[in-house]
Amino acid sequence: MDKPTLAVIIPCYNEELCLKKTVTRILEVLDVLISKNKIKSDSYLYLIDDGSGDSTWKIIEEMHNADKRVKGTKFIRNFGNQKALIAGLESVREIGCDCAVSIDADLQQDENAIEKFIDKYMDGADIVSGIRRDRKTDPFFKKLTAVMFYKTMNILGAKIPPNHSDFRLVSSKALKIMELYHEKYLFLRGFFNELGLKTAYVDFDVKPRQAGQSKFNFFSLMTLALNGITSYSVVPLRFVAVLGFFIALFGFLVGIETVIEKIFWNNSPNGWATAIILSCVFGGIQLFCLGVIGEYVGQVFREVKARPRYIKDVELK
């Protein structure tokens, strides 16, 4: 296999504090890989400004003018991290590359692992997923929710490797297959793991953030999780159906028991507290089930509208 042209995709949202250092460091990594004859000299960076409100785009333009290997696009508004990644993947497919690596702008993911990604690619892997070794740098709540997310996704059928985010390499073959998937809310972690292409894994350590704060909060992570669940599993809907059956069965049995007591012992059921508690419990279960169904209806509603995933304002090639 010939050495590849590598595209490094970096989604950015209000990253003015660390972007220059990140771009400079990734260019250094490309230079090292070129000197080792592992990638071609036409390899490049592709940055996506996801509607930043600071000087992120200005920095991208400056870096582009200084080095044409720095390319990028600017959204007209914030569309979210997943859509920025999709835009990057679709853009580098159009520009041309043999493989693409996506990495966060804060460089907490170890950029030195890119060389290992390339080695795995040269061994025949179409997808190379970065797996963080531990979560020591995460606060307890984030660590707990991350563990719950991966376990839940695997239970529901989306076989996502634990501790894998969006630090990965994908081949041009995977990018071409991605072109066939038209859903607007494509969940990349599930998508690349369900393709069935040859996959390899690389462990890496998470570094402290260079500057600024993480743009992922509880709400954005919850949105990502719900999108992943509704995109790749109907198990929650089946759970609702099974739960409804058992609740109906319970009500039927309680009704039989009440009739028997009335006929044979002339007892009328009493206990307002019990009745109120049961009403609240069943009412809560019904609302929960409606919420689950609503998430799927909402997903269908968003797909049926067929709005564009993102809108580019400016692009630098």
Side-chain angles (χ1 to χ4, degrees):
M1 182 185 294
D2 293 334
K3 59 185 178 181
T5 294
L6 171 66
V8 179
I9 299 167
I10 307 176
C12 311
Y13 180 63
N14 293 336
E15 298 289 358
E16 63 179 3
L17 297 178
C18 64
L19 191 55
K20 283 186 179 180
K21 291 182 178 178
T22 296
V23 172
T24 301
R25 177 60 191 138
I26 297 298
L27 287 174
E28 290 173 355
V29 171
L30 293 185
D31 288 335
V32 170
L33 293 175
I34 291 170
S35 67
K36 291 183 177 181
N37 203 34
K38 291 194 172 185
I39 61 173
K40 293 180 180 178
S41 58
D42 59 351
S43 297
Y44 58 92
L45 276 65
Y46 196 91
L47 297 99
I48 306 93
D49 181 2
D50 187 19
S52 299
D54 59 7
S55 59
T56 293
W57 181 246
K58 182 180 178 181
I59 294 172
I60 293 173
E61 287 181 317
E62 291 174 354
M63 302 295 282
H64 170 75
N65 292 331
D67 191 329
K68 296 303 179 183
R69 291 182 298 172
V70 179
K71 309 177 190 298
T73 191
K74 182 180 186 296
F75 287 171
I76 61 171
R77 65 171 177 83
N78 179 251
F79 284 91
N81 178 265
Q82 286 289 289
K83 292 184 179 180
L85 282 171
I86 291 171
L89 293 167
E90 291 180 336
S91 297
V92 300
R93 184 185 67 221
E94 293 172 3
I95 295 171
C97 67
D98 296 304
C99 57
V101 170
S102 55
I103 188 170
D104 290 346
D106 56 18
L107 279 194
Q108 284 191 280
Q109 297 158 332
D110 186 7
E111 70 278 4
N112 294 310
I114 293 176
E115 183 173 355
K116 298 178 182 177
F117 285 11
I118 295 296
D119 292 338
K120 297 288 187 181
Y121 168 79
M122 294 301 292
D123 288 337
D126 284 297
I127 298 169
V128 184
S129 298
I131 309 294
R132 60 186 296 177
R133 288 193 175 93
D134 55 59
R135 290 189 168 272
K136 293 179 181 178
T137 57
D138 288 348
F140 173 77
F141 181 74
K142 187 174 181 180
K143 188 184 300 183
L144 177 64
T145 53
V147 171
M148 291 174 60
F149 169 75
Y150 288 110
K151 287 188 177 295
T152 301
M153 291 302 295
N154 278 276
I155 290 172
L156 297 180
K159 303 302 180 182
I160 302 174
N163 295 328
H164 167 60
S165 54
D166 286 303
F167 184 32
R168 72 173 71 84
L169 176 148
V170 295
S171 67
S172 58
K173 181 178 181 179
L175 292 176
K176 288 177 182 177
I177 295 175
M178 179 180 164
E179 193 175 5
L180 303 175
Y181 285 67
H182 301 294
E183 62 249 49
K184 305 304 177 183
Y185 288 80
L186 186 64
F187 182 58
L188 294 175
R189 299 184 198 185
F191 166 72
F192 285 117
N193 280 282
E194 77 161 3
L195 285 183
L197 297 175
K198 184 178 180 181
T199 303
Y201 303 95
V202 170
D203 294 331
F204 70 94
D205 293 315
V206 175
K207 301 179 295 183
R209 186 179 173 87
Q210 294 185 55
Q213 296 180 342
S214 172
K215 308 306 182 296
F216 274 100
N217 52 35
F218 176 76
F219 177 77
S220 59
L221 291 172
M222 181 62 69
T223 301
L224 178 65
L226 287 174
N227 178 47
I229 291 170
T230 54
S231 296
Y232 280 89
S233 178
V234 295
V235 172
L237 291 177
R238 291 173 181 166
F239 170 76
V240 167
V242 172
L243 184 63
F245 170 78
F246 281 108
I247 290 176
L249 180 62
F250 175 77
F252 178 73
L253 294 176
V254 170
I256 291 177
E257 189 268 341
T258 301
V259 171
I260 290 174
E261 284 194 11
K262 182 66 177 177
I263 293 176
F264 293 98
W265 292 282
N266 199 29
N267 289 334
S268 296
N270 51 31
W272 286 103
T274 301
I276 292 173
I277 290 171
L278 289 175
S279 297
C280 290
V281 170
F282 291 141
I285 292 173
Q286 288 175 334
L287 289 175
F288 169 76
C289 294
L290 285 174
V292 172
I293 296 170
E295 284 294 328
Y296 282 90
V297 172
Q299 186 82 323
V300 173
F301 173 68
R302 290 190 292 267
E303 292 293 339
V304 167
K305 287 190 294 184
R307 292 178 178 177
R309 288 171 173 160
Y310 52 84
I311 302 174
K312 294 180 180 180
D313 185 17
V314 186
E315 187 168 18
L316 304 172
K317 292 185 178 180

